[in-house]
Amino acid sequence: LQTDLLGQIDAAATPEAIEAVRVAALGKSGSVTGLLKTLGGMSPEERQVEGPRIHGLRETVTAALGDRKAGLERVALDARLAGETLDMTLPADVPPAGTIHPVSQVMDELAEIFADLGFAVATGPEIENDWYNFTALNIPETHPARAMHDTFYLAGEHEQPMVLRTHTSPVQIRAMQAAGGNQPVRIIAPGRTYRSDSDATHTPMFHQVEGLVIDKGITLGHLKWTLETFLKAFFERDDIVLRLRPSYFPFTEPSAEVDVGYTIVNGKRVIGGSGGGNGGGWMEVLGSGMVHRTVIAAGGYDPDQWQGFAFGCGIDRLAMLKYGMDDLRAFFDGDARWLKHYGFSA
Ligand code: PHE
């Protein structure tokens, strides 16, 4: 019986097969259990001989079952280890990374385009005093333009009212002052601006880029050429058409609002071409003009000798037009899916 059982244990190739052998030998009605039961009916002499033999059989079978089971488990573990190799040289999964924001992207594009035209980048503070934001730009205290700007004023006592700058135009004054009144100025000034206003196309914080040229003999022709060259480079199209509409800004005289022509492509307005006809039209993109004498003087230049032009333009709006976004508020939600949708994935 022992030889038979050990043979069966040896042949059992799965945990289930081993269990079956165990039940057949050591279970309630198993063969070894049956032998153990016969001990009760034996004479003491017989039992002295048979007892150790039968108990020995049970121990041998139990040990063989244990060994076989452990052996099978070892084989299974080896197989799993062999199958589950981990290649430490594989590149790791790259977690989603941040990416450049459309506004930053457009600021970079502007800096690059204007660098080619000889413009440096200038900056100024976002918390500005009343003089730089208004007075020096020919907007005196009683001027209605102050009300038009929906200005955020800072609380508390200050030497003069402090505001969150309502436009980048104060950088015109700072750039002229920095240049010292005796050399040409060619700068753009991109940055944050603030007005108390909020809907699909206005956010209380928004971005503008200012442009300023001060030199001798500057005319409206220089302004128009510069804007045309800039917009063609920015929208990457040669068929950009411009319309300068007479307008009013306190700090420029004459002043012009600049429209660019658009055409309709797949139901969407696309900058380039038309301006009128074929369902196209004009879209306002910036304000501009010849720098007012008073402003040139406030910047420390002699307006009898120096002239200039200036323009101011919403950067968020430029980004919307170039990349086809339609709700300005989404710019500041920080939703990576929105960036990805417009092609700004890393
Ligand atoms: N500062 C003006 C605005 O915010 C834009 C502008 C700048 C117009 C420079 C003319 C010249 O609307």
Side-chain angles (χ1 to χ4, degrees):
L1 181 60
Q2 174 159 332
T3 317
D4 183 34
L5 285 174
L6 291 180
Q8 284 180 36
I9 291 168
D10 224 26
T14 64
E16 294 76 28
I18 293 174
E19 179 63 9
V21 177
R22 190 191 67 79
V23 171
L26 304 173
K28 243 190 214 155
S29 44
S31 50
V32 178
T33 310
L35 283 176
L36 282 164
K37 279 181 190 160
T38 61
L39 287 173
M42 290 181 188
S43 63
E45 294 75 26
E46 248 184 319
R47 201 179 303 141
Q48 237 173 33
V49 179
E50 290 302 324
R53 281 189 58 204
I54 297 173
H55 281 290
L57 171 63
R58 194 184 60 168
E59 267 156 43
T60 306
V61 171
T62 304
L65 282 167
D67 285 352
R68 183 68 184 138
K69 208 170 152 204
L72 276 183
E73 275 164 8
R74 212 176 314 113
V75 169
L77 182 61
D78 285 348
R80 231 180 80 206
L81 286 176
E84 276 180 15
T85 51
L86 195 57
D87 185 349
M88 300 302 282
T89 66
L90 281 176
D93 280 348
V94 181
T99 172
I100 192 144
H101 192 276
V103 171
S104 307
Q105 165 80 31
V106 167
M107 283 186 178
D108 290 349
E109 290 172 15
L110 293 171
E112 218 170 288
I113 291 167
F114 278 101
D116 286 346
L117 301 177
F119 287 65
V121 172
T123 56
E126 289 172 32
I127 298 174
E128 201 38 292
N129 69 37
D130 187 86
W131 189 80
Y132 280 106
N133 196 77
F134 292 122
T135 312
L137 291 165
N138 197 32
I139 314 175
E141 210 149 320
T142 53
H143 200 285
R146 292 205 179 198
M148 276 161 45
H149 275 209
D150 301 309
T151 312
F152 285 116
Y153 284 89
L154 265 69
E157 286 293 308
H158 307 280
E159 220 168 286
Q160 56 170 311
M162 299 296 285
V163 303
L164 294 182
R165 67 179 181 189
T166 57
H167 50 180
T168 43
S169 298
V171 185
Q172 288 187 30
I173 307 296
R174 292 183 177 278
M176 281 189 270
Q177 288 179 334
N182 53 15
Q183 57 175 323
V185 175
R186 264 199 304 269
I187 57 107
I188 59 163
R192 294 193 183 100
T193 48
Y194 302 84
R195 290 182 202 178
S196 175
D197 204 354
S198 187
D199 58 36
T201 52
H202 297 86
T203 49
M205 187 281 295
F206 58 107
H207 299 84
Q208 285 193 338
V209 62
E210 195 80 9
L212 174 71
V213 168
I214 300 286
D215 208 333
K216 292 180 176 170
I218 295 295
T219 71
L220 208 59
H222 296 117
L223 169 62
K224 192 178 181 210
W225 180 88
T226 304
L227 293 178
E228 220 164 60
T229 304
F230 147 49
L231 292 167
K232 280 180 181 172
F234 180 73
F235 288 108
E236 297 170 36
R237 293 180 66 136
D238 275 331
D239 61 348
I240 296 288
V241 282
L242 289 194
R243 180 172 74 173
L244 273 66
R245 253 182 313 108
S247 184
Y248 173 76
F249 298 103
F251 30 90
T252 47
E253 181 58 35
S255 302
E257 276 174 301
V258 178
D259 301 336
V260 287
Y262 67 82
T263 41
I264 302 285
V265 180
N266 298 327
K268 273 203 155 195
R269 293 174 175 194
V270 173
I271 298 294
S274 186
N278 300 327
W282 296 103
M283 203 154 358
E284 186 192 321
V285 287
L286 53 88
S288 66
M290 303 306 292
V291 183
H292 197 290
R293 291 176 61 85
T294 307
V295 174
I296 292 180
Y301 281 75
D302 176 359
D304 286 332
Q305 285 194 53
W306 300 86
Q307 296 77 41
F309 67 75
F311 59 87
C313 181
I315 292 179
D316 315 294
R317 192 169 155 69
L318 282 182
M320 289 169 86
L321 290 172
K322 181 163 178 175
Y323 296 108
M325 297 117 174
D326 48 20
D327 191 333
L328 180 57
R329 288 165 298 196
F331 273 71
F332 311 115
D333 285 347
D335 187 337
R337 290 167 302 180
W338 177 82
L339 285 171
K340 203 171 168 194
H341 176 76
Y342 289 105
F344 284 84
S345 58

